[in-house]
Amino acid sequence: MTKSKEIAKAINLSDSQYYFNRELSWLEFNRRVLHEALDSRTPLLERLKFAAIFSSNLDEFFMVRVAILKDQVQAGVSQRTPDGRTPQEQLEAIAQLLRPMVIEQHHLFEKVLRPEMAFHGIYLLNYKDISSEQRSYLQDLFKQRIFPVLTPLAVDPSHPFPLMANLSLNLAVVVKDPATGEEKFARVKVPNILPRFIELPKQLQQHNGKSNQWIGVPIEQVVAHNLEALFPGMIIKEYHLFRLTRKADIAVVEDEADDLLLAIQQELRGRHFRGSVVRLEIQPSMPKSVRQMLIEEMELTEGDVYEIDGLLNLKDLMSFLALPLPELKDPPWTPVIPPRLRHLNQASKIAQLDDPEDIFSAIRQNDLLVHHPYESFTASVEQFIVQAARDRHVLAIKMTLYRTSGDSEIVSSLIAAAESGKQVAALVELKARFDEENNITWAQKLEKSGVHVVYGLVGLKTHTKIVLIVRQEGEDIRRYVHIGTGNYNPKTAKLYTDIGLLSCREDLGADLTDLFNYLTGYSCQHSYRKLLVSPVSMRDRIIALIRREIEHCKNGKTGRIIAKMNSLVDPQIIAILYEASQAGVQIDLIIRGICCLRPEVPEVSENIHVISVIGRFLEHSRIFHFHNHGHNEVYIGSADWMPRNLDRRVEAVTPVEDPQLVQTLQKILEISLADNRQAWELKSDGSYIQRHPAKNEPERSTQNILMEMTLKS
């Protein structure tokens, strides 16, 4: 028996010690986000942005992940995760890890970023520190614009505790009746229809005797210092700010819903108020009596309360990124038109649909790989769909819409195509979390115009990013495809790194035809020519690709895997990666977010190395490279290696077969692995260590290098 076989036999690769907890790993990802705000090399307004993203991420984490764990505890679930924790143990571990991070974030803002803002003439003042002229202006503003929208709600035997919206800022106000001496409690919601930070007019932009870039105050302080107008005749004893977070995941029993769209609409109407409260944020000054009342009324425990020393809801710091101060931001980046599409003249292309210089002719020459946001989404993927809608030779357009945006030409192009007589089918995923309302709007608009709208399969989310164009070319029918890693959303395409393949390969066209038939009809397709499809074949195909590398090593050859994705959670995939490491396969993983695999453990994962790249763009592309003894295979697609992607979602991953494009993808992976500026190394104890250039070593930032390369292309 060989040594590797002896080790494999002796070690139980399912042992909980070889797995990190999913929720704690996510918190470590958010810590890396916070570090971008802590890092003095990051421009000031970008630091505020990352502090805001940290808070926004936490909101969603509580609304979904913590809410699920609390539901499991309430239901008496005791099943342990692969790392060996029960739901209750996970909640306790989350709180233990998270509380110091929240303290660090608020200390950073109050003691570092706020003074740095002031140094650059950006003053977010406390109400008590403003001048009498500024106070007078804000009092007038309160009377004219704020007071009319406020609704104080009393709490007493005749006034039950009010319903409060998810993520709302509120003032707990204690007033005293001077006639009876009785103290009473009321709640005042801070209006979210007005800006969180109220800017003072230019003539009042004076502080410390000089003019400044921006001066303002938080709206809740304006409300708090004018409470007498809401409670005339009463004495304001005290007020305390608090914020609550509710469970926000909607629950629809799909196979019992006669109309899925209607069922989701009904759930959405109550999401902001009906979900159970999962977190209460307060300031330390809140007295125990008020604190206890809130805890009891919201059915919380002390473990659900987070004390915030400073401003609540730092998510609103994102608004400062709109200030016209380019010197305090990242250098602007304008996505570049892909080289093979630069010769296409937009005006003539639209006017002359027989123009041989159209996007279809470019795709017929060779497969085309597009890399966003380095390359323009608008000039490539969006133009692909826009031109297909206008081209009289195009017979049909089919695509999936997981998340899109209101200002996209894509939806209007699909409508125009349907109105011109083309066959148009759009699969709109109504269950895309927090985009449900947006997707319902587009689904209804598309249906009214004659587009065949499908809402996906029961029990599965359709997460794949695919477009199929059917075009008449002479006597033949040719199918053009786009298979990508990111959503068809021009806004996120400027912020997320994603890869897309444009091709007219017949086998890919045939595969997408079969996949759309699976999505829209009653097809039971279980095999595809080229595509790896979830939940049908992807898991088995990925395992087979990893096992092939194992066999190469066992036969004395080289085994090598490089995989880039958002998250690695699936225990079965992790276990087979451990087997590969034991067999000698060299594995590099580029995992932006959650990684439940424990790397660099002797005799288990010593050949596995994991990095996370965090930067100005959100790393979102999925690229999978298998060495295959020199016959390199590279895949891209929409799926992470998570149970939900492999078992509970419709996903598609495609091979990239053009040798030149394979080299391009390998280069992208190599650049990421060599990063010494934005990369963090995951250690076997679960900690992440940020890489730094060695002495006299040049700085290698993945995203900066890719921007420079794109400009030179």
Side-chain angles (χ1 to χ4, degrees), residues 127 134-152 171 188-191 194 198 200 217-232 236:
Y127 197 89
Q134 292 167 334
R135 188 184 299 261
S136 178
Y137 168 81
L138 289 173
Q139 286 172 341
D140 289 341
L141 179 76
F142 175 82
K143 292 175 185 176
Q144 295 168 14
R145 296 188 56 200
I146 302 175
F147 176 76
V149 302
L150 297 177
T151 304
L171 285 166
V188 178
K189 179 183 177 182
V190 178
L194 299 172
I198 297 179
L200 291 165
V217 295
I219 189 173
E220 63 268 22
Q221 294 187 16
V222 178
V223 174
H225 283 82
N226 289 277
L227 286 172
E228 293 85 356
L230 290 170
F231 303 97
I236 309 299

Short mmCIF file of all heavy atoms in Angstrom, two decimals, residues 127 134-152 171 188-191 194 198 200 217-232 236:
data_model
loop_
_atom_site.label_atom_id
_atom_site.label_comp_id
_atom_site.label_asym_id
_atom_site.label_seq_id
_atom_site.Cartn_x
_atom_site.Cartn_y
_atom_site.Cartn_z
N TYR A 127 -25.24 68.18 16.52
CA TYR A 127 -26.13 69.33 16.60
C TYR A 127 -25.67 70.32 17.67
O TYR A 127 -25.74 71.54 17.49
CB TYR A 127 -27.55 68.85 16.90
CG TYR A 127 -28.63 69.86 16.61
CD1 TYR A 127 -29.23 69.93 15.35
CD2 TYR A 127 -29.08 70.74 17.60
CE1 TYR A 127 -30.23 70.85 15.08
CE2 TYR A 127 -30.09 71.66 17.36
CZ TYR A 127 -30.65 71.72 16.09
OH TYR A 127 -31.65 72.64 15.83
N GLN A 134 -26.62 78.42 12.14
CA GLN A 134 -26.87 77.09 11.57
C GLN A 134 -28.06 76.42 12.26
O GLN A 134 -28.89 75.78 11.62
CB GLN A 134 -25.61 76.23 11.71
CG GLN A 134 -24.45 76.71 10.84
CD GLN A 134 -23.13 76.06 11.20
OE1 GLN A 134 -22.92 75.63 12.34
NE2 GLN A 134 -22.21 76.01 10.24
N ARG A 135 -28.15 76.61 13.58
CA ARG A 135 -29.26 76.04 14.34
C ARG A 135 -30.59 76.64 13.89
O ARG A 135 -31.59 75.94 13.72
CB ARG A 135 -29.04 76.28 15.84
CG ARG A 135 -30.04 75.56 16.74
CD ARG A 135 -29.77 75.96 18.19
NE ARG A 135 -28.41 75.56 18.59
CZ ARG A 135 -28.13 74.46 19.28
NH1 ARG A 135 -29.09 73.64 19.63
NH2 ARG A 135 -26.88 74.19 19.60
N SER A 136 -30.59 77.94 13.66
CA SER A 136 -31.80 78.62 13.22
C SER A 136 -32.26 78.08 11.86
O SER A 136 -33.46 77.85 11.64
CB SER A 136 -31.56 80.13 13.14
OG SER A 136 -32.71 80.80 12.66
N TYR A 137 -31.29 77.86 10.96
CA TYR A 137 -31.63 77.31 9.64
C TYR A 137 -32.25 75.92 9.78
O TYR A 137 -33.28 75.61 9.14
CB TYR A 137 -30.38 77.24 8.77
CG TYR A 137 -30.59 76.42 7.51
CD1 TYR A 137 -31.20 76.96 6.39
CD2 TYR A 137 -30.18 75.08 7.46
CE1 TYR A 137 -31.42 76.20 5.24
CE2 TYR A 137 -30.39 74.31 6.33
CZ TYR A 137 -31.01 74.88 5.23
OH TYR A 137 -31.23 74.12 4.10
N LEU A 138 -31.67 75.08 10.62
CA LEU A 138 -32.17 73.71 10.78
C LEU A 138 -33.53 73.69 11.46
O LEU A 138 -34.36 72.81 11.18
CB LEU A 138 -31.14 72.87 11.55
CG LEU A 138 -29.86 72.54 10.79
CD1 LEU A 138 -28.85 71.86 11.70
CD2 LEU A 138 -30.14 71.68 9.56
N GLN A 139 -33.77 74.62 12.37
CA GLN A 139 -35.10 74.69 12.99
C GLN A 139 -36.16 75.04 11.96
O GLN A 139 -37.26 74.45 11.96
CB GLN A 139 -35.08 75.72 14.12
CG GLN A 139 -34.33 75.25 15.37
CD GLN A 139 -34.15 76.35 16.41
OE1 GLN A 139 -34.27 77.54 16.10
NE2 GLN A 139 -33.85 75.95 17.64
N ASP A 140 -35.84 75.97 11.07
CA ASP A 140 -36.78 76.31 10.00
C ASP A 140 -36.98 75.12 9.06
O ASP A 140 -38.11 74.84 8.62
CB ASP A 140 -36.27 77.52 9.20
CG ASP A 140 -36.36 78.81 9.99
OD1 ASP A 140 -37.13 78.84 10.98
OD2 ASP A 140 -35.65 79.78 9.64
N LEU A 141 -35.89 74.43 8.75
CA LEU A 141 -35.98 73.25 7.88
C LEU A 141 -36.85 72.18 8.52
O LEU A 141 -37.66 71.53 7.86
CB LEU A 141 -34.57 72.69 7.60
CG LEU A 141 -34.52 71.45 6.71
CD1 LEU A 141 -34.73 71.85 5.25
CD2 LEU A 141 -33.19 70.72 6.86
N PHE A 142 -36.67 72.01 9.82
CA PHE A 142 -37.47 71.03 10.54
C PHE A 142 -38.96 71.35 10.41
O PHE A 142 -39.78 70.47 10.10
CB PHE A 142 -37.07 71.00 12.02
CG PHE A 142 -37.94 70.10 12.86
CD1 PHE A 142 -37.72 68.74 12.90
CD2 PHE A 142 -39.00 70.63 13.60
CE1 PHE A 142 -38.54 67.91 13.66
CE2 PHE A 142 -39.82 69.81 14.36
CZ PHE A 142 -39.59 68.45 14.39
N LYS A 143 -39.33 72.60 10.65
CA LYS A 143 -40.73 72.99 10.59
C LYS A 143 -41.32 72.79 9.19
O LYS A 143 -42.46 72.35 9.04
CB LYS A 143 -40.88 74.46 10.99
CG LYS A 143 -40.57 74.74 12.46
CD LYS A 143 -40.62 76.23 12.74
CE LYS A 143 -40.18 76.53 14.17
NZ LYS A 143 -40.13 78.00 14.42
N GLN A 144 -40.53 73.09 8.16
CA GLN A 144 -41.05 73.07 6.79
C GLN A 144 -41.03 71.69 6.16
O GLN A 144 -41.96 71.32 5.43
CB GLN A 144 -40.25 74.06 5.93
CG GLN A 144 -40.41 75.51 6.35
CD GLN A 144 -39.40 76.42 5.68
OE1 GLN A 144 -38.73 76.04 4.71
NE2 GLN A 144 -39.24 77.63 6.21
N ARG A 145 -39.99 70.91 6.40
CA ARG A 145 -39.80 69.69 5.63
C ARG A 145 -39.85 68.41 6.46
O ARG A 145 -40.17 67.34 5.93
CB ARG A 145 -38.47 69.74 4.87
CG ARG A 145 -38.42 70.84 3.82
CD ARG A 145 -37.16 70.71 2.97
NE ARG A 145 -37.07 69.40 2.35
CZ ARG A 145 -35.93 68.87 1.88
NH1 ARG A 145 -34.80 69.55 1.99
NH2 ARG A 145 -35.92 67.68 1.33
N ILE A 146 -39.46 68.48 7.73
CA ILE A 146 -39.36 67.26 8.54
C ILE A 146 -40.59 67.05 9.41
O ILE A 146 -41.20 65.98 9.40
CB ILE A 146 -38.08 67.28 9.40
CG1 ILE A 146 -36.84 67.44 8.51
CG2 ILE A 146 -37.99 66.01 10.24
CD1 ILE A 146 -35.54 67.59 9.27
N PHE A 147 -40.99 68.08 10.13
CA PHE A 147 -42.13 67.98 11.04
C PHE A 147 -43.38 67.42 10.38
O PHE A 147 -44.05 66.55 10.96
CB PHE A 147 -42.41 69.35 11.67
CG PHE A 147 -43.62 69.38 12.55
CD1 PHE A 147 -43.59 68.83 13.82
CD2 PHE A 147 -44.81 69.95 12.10
CE1 PHE A 147 -44.71 68.85 14.63
CE2 PHE A 147 -45.94 69.97 12.90
CZ PHE A 147 -45.89 69.42 14.17
N PRO A 148 -43.73 67.85 9.15
CA PRO A 148 -44.98 67.36 8.55
C PRO A 148 -45.01 65.85 8.31
O PRO A 148 -46.10 65.27 8.21
CB PRO A 148 -45.07 68.13 7.23
CG PRO A 148 -44.26 69.35 7.44
CD PRO A 148 -43.13 68.93 8.33
N VAL A 149 -43.86 65.19 8.21
CA VAL A 149 -43.86 63.76 7.90
C VAL A 149 -43.66 62.89 9.14
O VAL A 149 -43.69 61.67 9.05
CB VAL A 149 -42.78 63.41 6.84
CG1 VAL A 149 -43.00 64.21 5.58
CG2 VAL A 149 -41.38 63.63 7.39
N LEU A 150 -43.49 63.52 10.31
CA LEU A 150 -43.27 62.75 11.53
C LEU A 150 -44.61 62.35 12.16
O LEU A 150 -45.58 63.10 12.12
CB LEU A 150 -42.46 63.57 12.54
CG LEU A 150 -41.03 63.94 12.13
CD1 LEU A 150 -40.38 64.80 13.20
CD2 LEU A 150 -40.20 62.70 11.86
N THR A 151 -44.61 61.16 12.77
CA THR A 151 -45.80 60.66 13.46
C THR A 151 -45.39 60.07 14.80
O THR A 151 -44.93 58.92 14.87
CB THR A 151 -46.53 59.59 12.62
OG1 THR A 151 -46.83 60.12 11.34
CG2 THR A 151 -47.82 59.15 13.31
N PRO A 152 -45.51 60.86 15.89
CA PRO A 152 -45.19 60.28 17.21
C PRO A 152 -46.24 59.26 17.60
O PRO A 152 -47.45 59.48 17.41
CB PRO A 152 -45.23 61.51 18.13
CG PRO A 152 -46.12 62.48 17.44
CD PRO A 152 -45.94 62.26 15.96
N LEU A 171 -36.51 56.96 17.47
CA LEU A 171 -36.22 57.61 18.73
C LEU A 171 -37.18 57.09 19.79
O LEU A 171 -38.41 57.12 19.59
CB LEU A 171 -36.35 59.12 18.61
CG LEU A 171 -35.23 59.85 17.87
CD1 LEU A 171 -35.65 61.26 17.53
CD2 LEU A 171 -33.95 59.86 18.70
N VAL A 188 -40.74 57.73 17.90
CA VAL A 188 -40.75 58.59 16.72
C VAL A 188 -39.82 57.97 15.68
O VAL A 188 -38.63 57.77 15.95
CB VAL A 188 -40.28 60.03 17.05
CG1 VAL A 188 -40.25 60.88 15.78
CG2 VAL A 188 -41.18 60.67 18.10
N LYS A 189 -40.38 57.66 14.52
CA LYS A 189 -39.55 57.11 13.45
C LYS A 189 -38.82 58.23 12.73
O LYS A 189 -39.41 59.25 12.37
CB LYS A 189 -40.41 56.33 12.45
CG LYS A 189 -39.60 55.76 11.29
CD LYS A 189 -40.49 55.07 10.26
CE LYS A 189 -39.66 54.57 9.08
NZ LYS A 189 -40.50 53.92 8.05
N VAL A 190 -37.51 58.04 12.54
CA VAL A 190 -36.73 59.00 11.78
C VAL A 190 -37.05 58.79 10.30
O VAL A 190 -36.90 57.67 9.79
CB VAL A 190 -35.22 58.81 12.03
CG1 VAL A 190 -34.41 59.79 11.19
CG2 VAL A 190 -34.91 59.00 13.51
N PRO A 191 -37.52 59.81 9.60
CA PRO A 191 -37.97 59.59 8.21
C PRO A 191 -36.81 59.19 7.30
O PRO A 191 -35.75 59.81 7.32
CB PRO A 191 -38.55 60.95 7.81
CG PRO A 191 -37.90 61.94 8.73
CD PRO A 191 -37.66 61.22 10.01
N LEU A 194 -36.03 61.39 3.54
CA LEU A 194 -35.16 62.56 3.47
C LEU A 194 -33.72 62.10 3.63
O LEU A 194 -33.45 61.03 4.18
CB LEU A 194 -35.53 63.55 4.58
CG LEU A 194 -36.97 64.10 4.52
CD1 LEU A 194 -37.27 64.92 5.77
CD2 LEU A 194 -37.18 64.94 3.27
N ILE A 198 -28.04 65.95 6.61
CA ILE A 198 -28.59 67.18 6.05
C ILE A 198 -27.48 68.20 5.86
O ILE A 198 -26.82 68.63 6.82
CB ILE A 198 -29.68 67.75 6.96
CG1 ILE A 198 -30.85 66.75 7.05
CG2 ILE A 198 -30.18 69.10 6.46
CD1 ILE A 198 -31.97 67.19 7.95
N LEU A 200 -25.85 71.75 5.14
CA LEU A 200 -26.15 73.16 5.35
C LEU A 200 -25.91 73.93 4.06
O LEU A 200 -25.06 73.55 3.24
CB LEU A 200 -25.29 73.72 6.47
CG LEU A 200 -25.63 73.17 7.87
CD1 LEU A 200 -24.51 73.49 8.85
CD2 LEU A 200 -26.94 73.74 8.37
N VAL A 217 -25.36 67.74 9.36
CA VAL A 217 -25.65 67.05 10.62
C VAL A 217 -26.56 65.86 10.33
O VAL A 217 -27.30 65.86 9.34
CB VAL A 217 -26.33 67.99 11.64
CG1 VAL A 217 -25.41 69.12 12.05
CG2 VAL A 217 -27.62 68.54 11.07
N PRO A 218 -26.53 64.84 11.18
CA PRO A 218 -27.46 63.71 11.01
C PRO A 218 -28.90 64.16 11.24
O PRO A 218 -29.18 64.91 12.18
CB PRO A 218 -27.00 62.72 12.08
CG PRO A 218 -25.62 63.14 12.45
CD PRO A 218 -25.59 64.62 12.29
N ILE A 219 -29.81 63.66 10.44
CA ILE A 219 -31.21 64.07 10.54
C ILE A 219 -31.81 63.68 11.87
O ILE A 219 -32.67 64.41 12.42
CB ILE A 219 -32.04 63.48 9.37
CG1 ILE A 219 -33.45 64.10 9.36
CG2 ILE A 219 -32.10 61.96 9.43
CD1 ILE A 219 -34.28 63.71 8.15
N GLU A 220 -31.38 62.57 12.47
CA GLU A 220 -31.98 62.16 13.74
C GLU A 220 -31.69 63.16 14.85
O GLU A 220 -32.49 63.34 15.78
CB GLU A 220 -31.50 60.75 14.15
CG GLU A 220 -30.02 60.62 14.42
CD GLU A 220 -29.22 60.21 13.20
OE1 GLU A 220 -29.71 60.43 12.08
OE2 GLU A 220 -28.10 59.68 13.37
N GLN A 221 -30.55 63.87 14.75
CA GLN A 221 -30.24 64.88 15.75
C GLN A 221 -31.10 66.12 15.57
O GLN A 221 -31.47 66.79 16.54
CB GLN A 221 -28.75 65.22 15.70
CG GLN A 221 -27.86 64.07 16.12
CD GLN A 221 -26.40 64.47 16.25
OE1 GLN A 221 -26.07 65.66 16.30
NE2 GLN A 221 -25.52 63.48 16.30
N VAL A 222 -31.44 66.44 14.31
CA VAL A 222 -32.35 67.56 14.06
C VAL A 222 -33.72 67.25 14.65
O VAL A 222 -34.36 68.10 15.29
CB VAL A 222 -32.46 67.83 12.54
CG1 VAL A 222 -33.45 68.98 12.28
CG2 VAL A 222 -31.10 68.16 11.95
N VAL A 223 -34.18 66.01 14.45
CA VAL A 223 -35.47 65.60 15.02
C VAL A 223 -35.41 65.65 16.54
O VAL A 223 -36.30 66.20 17.21
CB VAL A 223 -35.86 64.19 14.53
CG1 VAL A 223 -37.13 63.71 15.24
CG2 VAL A 223 -36.05 64.16 13.03
N ALA A 224 -34.35 65.09 17.10
CA ALA A 224 -34.24 64.98 18.56
C ALA A 224 -34.23 66.35 19.24
O ALA A 224 -34.78 66.51 20.34
CB ALA A 224 -32.98 64.19 18.92
N HIS A 225 -33.62 67.33 18.59
CA HIS A 225 -33.52 68.65 19.22
C HIS A 225 -34.73 69.54 18.93
O HIS A 225 -34.73 70.72 19.30
CB HIS A 225 -32.22 69.34 18.78
CG HIS A 225 -31.01 68.81 19.46
ND1 HIS A 225 -30.35 67.68 19.06
CD2 HIS A 225 -30.34 69.26 20.57
CE1 HIS A 225 -29.32 67.44 19.86
NE2 HIS A 225 -29.29 68.38 20.79
N ASN A 226 -35.72 68.97 18.29
CA ASN A 226 -36.95 69.72 18.04
C ASN A 226 -38.19 68.92 18.45
O ASN A 226 -39.28 69.11 17.91
CB ASN A 226 -37.04 70.10 16.56
CG ASN A 226 -36.04 71.18 16.17
OD1 ASN A 226 -36.27 72.37 16.35
ND2 ASN A 226 -34.89 70.74 15.64
N LEU A 227 -38.01 68.04 19.44
CA LEU A 227 -39.11 67.18 19.86
C LEU A 227 -40.26 67.95 20.51
O LEU A 227 -41.39 67.47 20.55
CB LEU A 227 -38.59 66.11 20.82
CG LEU A 227 -37.78 64.97 20.19
CD1 LEU A 227 -37.15 64.10 21.27
CD2 LEU A 227 -38.65 64.12 19.27
N GLU A 228 -39.96 69.14 21.03
CA GLU A 228 -41.03 69.91 21.67
C GLU A 228 -42.19 70.17 20.71
O GLU A 228 -43.36 70.25 21.13
CB GLU A 228 -40.48 71.25 22.17
CG GLU A 228 -39.48 71.13 23.32
CD GLU A 228 -38.07 70.87 22.85
OE1 GLU A 228 -37.88 70.71 21.61
OE2 GLU A 228 -37.16 70.80 23.70
N ALA A 229 -41.88 70.30 19.42
CA ALA A 229 -42.93 70.55 18.43
C ALA A 229 -43.86 69.35 18.29
O ALA A 229 -45.02 69.51 17.91
CB ALA A 229 -42.30 70.89 17.08
N LEU A 230 -43.35 68.15 18.59
CA LEU A 230 -44.17 66.94 18.48
C LEU A 230 -44.98 66.67 19.74
O LEU A 230 -46.00 65.98 19.70
CB LEU A 230 -43.26 65.72 18.20
CG LEU A 230 -42.61 65.67 16.82
CD1 LEU A 230 -41.56 64.57 16.78
CD2 LEU A 230 -43.65 65.43 15.74
N PHE A 231 -44.50 67.19 20.88
CA PHE A 231 -45.17 66.94 22.15
C PHE A 231 -45.42 68.27 22.88
O PHE A 231 -44.86 68.53 23.95
CB PHE A 231 -44.31 66.01 23.03
CG PHE A 231 -43.98 64.69 22.38
CD1 PHE A 231 -42.75 64.52 21.73
CD2 PHE A 231 -44.88 63.64 22.41
CE1 PHE A 231 -42.44 63.30 21.13
CE2 PHE A 231 -44.56 62.42 21.81
CZ PHE A 231 -43.35 62.25 21.16
N PRO A 232 -46.24 69.15 22.29
CA PRO A 232 -46.48 70.46 22.92
C PRO A 232 -47.10 70.30 24.31
O PRO A 232 -47.99 69.47 24.53
CB PRO A 232 -47.45 71.15 21.95
CG PRO A 232 -48.08 70.05 21.16
CD PRO A 232 -47.05 68.98 21.06
N ILE A 236 -39.82 67.16 27.69
CA ILE A 236 -38.99 66.09 27.12
C ILE A 236 -37.94 65.69 28.15
O ILE A 236 -37.00 66.45 28.45
CB ILE A 236 -38.31 66.56 25.81
CG1 ILE A 236 -39.32 67.16 24.84
CG2 ILE A 236 -37.55 65.39 25.18
CD1 ILE A 236 -40.41 66.22 24.38
#
